[in-house]
Amino acid sequence: MTAGLSSVRHSRTPPMTLSPEQARAHADEVRETSVTVLKGLIPAETIDAWNEAFGPLLAAAVRREGDNPNRGAHRYYVTLPLQDLWADPAIIDNDAVMAVVEELVGADGVMCQLASDTPLAGSEHQELHRDTQLLFPESGAETPPYQLAVNFPLVDVTDENGPMEYAPGTHMLSKTEGMAKVESGEIPLVKAYMARGDVMVRDVRHIHRGTPNRTGTPRPMVVIGYSRRWLHRPEVNVRIPAEVLVALPERARRWLRHNPVFETKAEAARPAETYRAFAY
């Protein structure tokens, strides 16, 4: 049974806040390495509630996609509906996360994605890739951050259940140069081990890949996508029920302002994303 908002408001752990200096330091780490991690940000009981609610969504995706999963063998991209438990402001409008995000893409940015990536037993190494292309491919020039992924796992991420591997610093290199440095060993791949409650903010241009889940338990990784206000990728969006939108804090409503709004939760919950081309 899917838990509602009330089930995640009983946390005894106060929300983490960051000073401006701390937020800037985390943002600078993303600028330098492509990744920063806010450890223990979300209470474990909240994560466990999300994991329980996620099971039926994953099962439906497996039935729907069958032998043609959208991220490689036995690996599923599943959109999360922005309602009930999934619309918890403590997650989608978290003060600490937003402080870092705003440092990187501006206070007038947009939230454009609420989804998950889950390898199951039988999954394989993905090809090394980036999640977006250059803003101006003909220039060959990288720019300051314009698209971010905020990731947090619904189970502890270990060596056995499919940690992401990424190459630090490759977000500011051309893909050709970054791949050459990875292949030569000059920039080693780093496994992103995370505990339940840890939150990663990353620049999606870095070279990375999913690895095999060798256990019998799914390894869901939630992704909340944030972009600068002018960036639109039509293959992703957040479908918002009107009643959920009006109940959200003002900042969350502002960050969601470019997404479609629907009269009913049922209409908003229909899968509609076409985000199949993900590797660049």
Side-chain angles (χ1 to χ4, degrees):
M1 177 173 159
T2 300
L5 274 176
S6 60
S7 69
V8 296
R9 285 180 173 160
H10 297 121
S11 169
R12 292 178 296 276
T13 304
M16 179 190 293
T17 58
L18 300 177
S19 68
E21 294 74 21
Q22 290 172 320
R24 207 153 30 242
H26 280 287
D28 285 344
E29 188 174 19
V30 175
R31 293 186 184 102
E32 179 180 353
T33 72
S34 77
V35 165
T36 193
V37 177
L38 303 172
K39 292 204 171 280
L41 182 65
I42 304 172
E45 63 202 68
T46 299
I47 295 296
D48 292 343
W50 277 51
N51 194 34
E52 181 180 359
F54 179 70
L57 299 181
L58 177 61
V62 172
R63 289 193 301 270
R64 185 168 60 248
E65 300 197 17
D67 295 330
N68 185 32
N70 51 27
R71 290 298 186 271
H74 302 282
R75 184 183 299 271
Y76 294 87
Y77 176 86
V78 181
T79 301
L80 306 178
L82 188 72
Q83 52 189 271
D84 303 320
L85 165 149
W86 312 107
D88 183 359
I91 305 294
I92 66 166
D93 191 44
N94 183 277
D95 286 337
V97 171
M98 295 310 300
V100 178
V101 167
E102 289 184 356
E103 282 281 339
L104 290 165
V105 298
D108 61 348
V110 293
M111 175 180 163
C112 56
Q113 183 184 26
L114 179 62
S116 59
D117 177 85
T118 306
L120 308 180
S123 52
E124 302 169 350
H125 281 97
Q126 291 180 314
E127 295 292 327
L128 289 166
H129 65 277
R130 309 169 93 175
D131 289 343
T132 192
Q133 57 187 328
L134 294 179
L135 284 179
F136 302 100
E138 67 275 15
S139 72
E142 291 297 349
T143 65
Y146 55 88
Q147 186 172 3
L148 306 173
V150 170
N151 291 123
F152 59 91
L154 301 186
V155 297
D156 293 339
V157 178
T158 69
D159 200 47
E160 292 299 312
N161 67 359
M164 178 185 75
E165 292 181 330
Y166 68 96
T170 52
H171 61 306
M172 295 303 293
L173 303 176
S174 70
K175 186 178 181 183
T176 299
E177 183 181 1
M179 288 292 290
K181 289 180 179 291
V182 171
E183 290 166 0
S184 71
E186 182 178 346
I187 299 180
L189 291 173
V190 175
K191 286 184 166 63
Y193 301 118
M194 299 174 69
R196 289 164 27 254
D198 293 348
V199 176
M200 172 186 287
V201 182
R202 64 185 180 91
D203 187 318
V204 301
R205 293 174 294 175
H206 64 180
I207 291 170
H208 65 284
R209 67 181 178 182
T211 66
N213 183 349
R214 298 186 176 89
T215 75
T217 303
R219 194 278 292 143
M221 180 70 72
V222 174
V223 54
I224 305 177
Y226 295 98
S227 299
R228 292 188 184 262
R229 64 178 177 82
W230 40 259
L231 182 66
H232 174 58
R233 294 183 66 176
E235 66 270 30
V236 295
N237 61 53
V238 181
R239 295 164 61 89
I240 313 169
E243 66 182 273
V244 171
L245 185 64
V246 298
L248 289 172
E250 186 278 332
R251 180 177 59 192
R253 296 196 304 272
R254 174 162 45 85
W255 278 79
L256 288 162
R257 65 191 179 279
H258 294 320
N259 292 285
V261 179
F262 297 87
E263 289 188 7
T264 67
K265 287 184 174 181
E267 189 177 8
R270 293 172 187 161
E273 281 193 328
T274 57
Y275 186 30
R276 299 192 71 86
F278 68 95
Y280 296 91

